Amino acid sequence: MVDLLPEQTCCWQATEEIARNHFLKAGFHEIRTPLIEVTDLFARGIGEATDVVGKEMYSFLDKGDRSCTLRPEGTASVVRAVLQNGLLNKGPQRLWYGGPMFRYERPQAGRQRQFHQIGVEYIGAGNARSDAEVISLAWRLLYELGLDNLVLELNTLGSSEDREVYKSKLVSWLEAHVEEIDEESRNRVNTNPLRILDTKNTQTQAILKKAPSLMDSISDESRQRFVEVQELLEALEIPFKLNPRLVRGLDYYNHTAFEITSSQLGAQGTVCGGGRYDGLIEQLGGPPTPSIGWAIGMERLMLLLGMYAEINPKGNAGRLKKSVSPDLYLINRGLKADKFALLLAHKLRAEGLIVELDNSGASFGKQFKRADRSGSFWALIIGDEEVAQNKVKLKSMKTSSPQQDQNNSEHLYDLTDIRGLINQINHKDSTNL
Ligand code: ATP
Ligand code: MG
């Protein structure tokens, strides 16, 4: 588990803000659920046969002897909250969430034990158009963040009936080839056979080429639905690549499954994973309710933004990585200046400015160096002499032309006219000083 330091949190905040606005524009509203749930929710909502539930959960007994778990993902909690609060009575729910998730995995680049996701769930929507809308929500968000060479991989799992037909075909085939596949896959034959298609073991992958294909077991109706999703994505000008190996292992997943991947992240290439889960709400005790959602891994997103920013510092990703500098660095020294500067900082902040107040009492020269390091555009200088005259000296820290010498890059402002000072600060133009 890692700390996020101020030099990182500014990019996180900028990204989160873009995501928030993006969701708001599409009519998706935020839901915040507890970080801890009873373990049973995930056992039923994700499935005992998955790695997440089988191996990766942080579970513990609380003081009331209940088995509790730190949430490993968001969907199960969101569905629980929707059911418990009767939200479905108000019609389909367009929801988004964000925050930390916990999985006991082997930590590596792009894989942590506490990581963060932002995700959406469109609960109560069953048509192909909702698939396209939800996918485009992820695609456009990543594009808006400056990530313009990701790959959208798409597959269909068919209806739940299609899956059952395919599952039994696949299991009989696997049972006949059980000696040839890797041990992990062998263990999944009876628990989570579809997930074997997703194996990273290259030998098993080669053998699976001869296995019955999911596409051949899919009904005409499901196939037509998948075509419709693809046509809508084409209409939205969202490029995609069909990937018949892309599966979600569990019974309540059906129809569209998708991932958005990057070739720049090594083995942890999936930035966003999602799909339709028409059977989940029923599984968790609700009425049959078609739904679709996705989750983006924030750490992988941040890694990518860092790479893009390095290549193109002036692009969208570059702008996100830039830390926010103060509008003003307040240099102050002297007994009277001390208090005066504190009050002035307060006033200027109330006017919406970002003001960093030097608290060192060091020499003006040292304070100037700090002002420079702060990245601030302006320095405001207050000594006892200025206090006596109710004036402050404003100096640009970004004197661009060599002709702008010491004298014409600073200006005295009378504090009875604080508006004039604020206007000048907001202008970020020192040529008229
Ligand atoms: P993977 O195959 O990479 O383990 P997953 O199928 O377990 O992914 P999901 O449960 O679909 O992942 O979660 C959605 C997204 O959350 C992933 O695509 C990834 O970006 C991110 N994610 C999942 N697990 C982690 C982790 N341990 N650390 C960082 N990000 C993660
Ligand atoms: Mg995983």
Side-chain angles (χ1 to χ4, degrees), residues 167-329:
K167 210 159 114 181
S168 54
K169 276 196 219 168
L170 180 67
V171 170
S172 354
W173 187 89
L174 285 167
E175 278 168 348
H177 294 81
V178 79
E179 300 302 323
E180 299 159 58
I181 60 178
D182 64 284
E183 194 187 337
E184 198 183 7
S185 298
R186 212 174 297 147
N187 292 335
R188 282 177 167 159
V189 173
N190 293 312
T191 56
N192 196 353
L194 285 189
R195 198 74 208 233
I196 299 176
L197 300 178
D198 200 26
T199 179
K200 305 243 154 64
N201 184 296
T202 45
Q203 197 186 329
T204 306
Q205 274 177 9
I207 288 157
L208 284 172
K209 288 210 173 95
K210 288 171 265 158
S213 96
L214 179 61
M215 267 300 162
D216 295 340
S217 300
I218 282 173
S219 66
D220 288 345
E221 205 183 338
S222 302
R223 207 182 297 267
Q224 184 47 41
R225 187 185 190 286
F226 191 42
V227 168
E228 210 181 315
V229 173
Q230 293 174 56
E231 283 171 355
L232 290 168
L233 290 174
E234 276 158 14
L236 288 167
E237 294 179 9
I238 298 177
F240 56 86
K241 200 174 98 184
L242 296 181
N243 177 0
R245 310 173 56 82
L246 201 164
V247 287
R248 305 246 135 193
L250 301 158
D251 290 343
Y252 46 74
Y253 281 110
N254 58 354
H255 295 299
T256 310
F258 66 96
E259 284 186 356
I260 300 176
T261 60
S262 164
S263 54
Q264 289 162 283
L265 287 174
Q268 273 63 248
T270 307
V271 191
C272 174
R276 181 160 280 289
Y277 50 89
D278 292 347
L280 177 62
I281 286 87
E282 228 176 333
Q283 171 87 11
L284 291 178
T289 311
S291 303
I292 181 165
W294 52 253
I296 286 178
M298 285 293 284
E299 279 75 10
R300 294 184 197 176
L301 180 57
M302 291 299 144
L303 284 173
L304 272 178
L305 289 175
M307 292 177 200
Y308 273 67
E310 213 159 282
I311 296 165
N312 180 10
K314 294 221 163 80
N316 285 5
R319 277 196 290 277
L320 288 170
K321 291 297 279 186
K322 245 173 96 178
S323 57
V324 179
S325 309
D327 296 310
L328 186 77
Y329 192 94

Side-chain angles (χ1 to χ4, degrees), residues 64-76:
D65 262 350
R66 286 164 292 231
S67 177
C68 301
T69 295
L70 296 179
R71 65 178 186 191
E73 53 108 61
T75 309

Side-chain angles (χ1 to χ4, degrees), residues 51-52 56 103 105 111 195 300:
D51 282 353
V52 171
E56 298 171 359
R103 297 184 192 177
E105 302 198 68
R111 196 177 292 285
R195 198 74 208 233
R300 294 184 197 176

Side-chain angles (χ1 to χ4, degrees), residues 22-40:
H22 187 76
F23 296 144
L24 189 65
K25 281 189 277 180
F28 280 67
H29 298 286
E30 186 182 7
I31 183 163
R32 298 189 189 191
T33 64
L35 298 193
I36 299 175
E37 300 273 359
V38 292
T39 304
D40 183 55

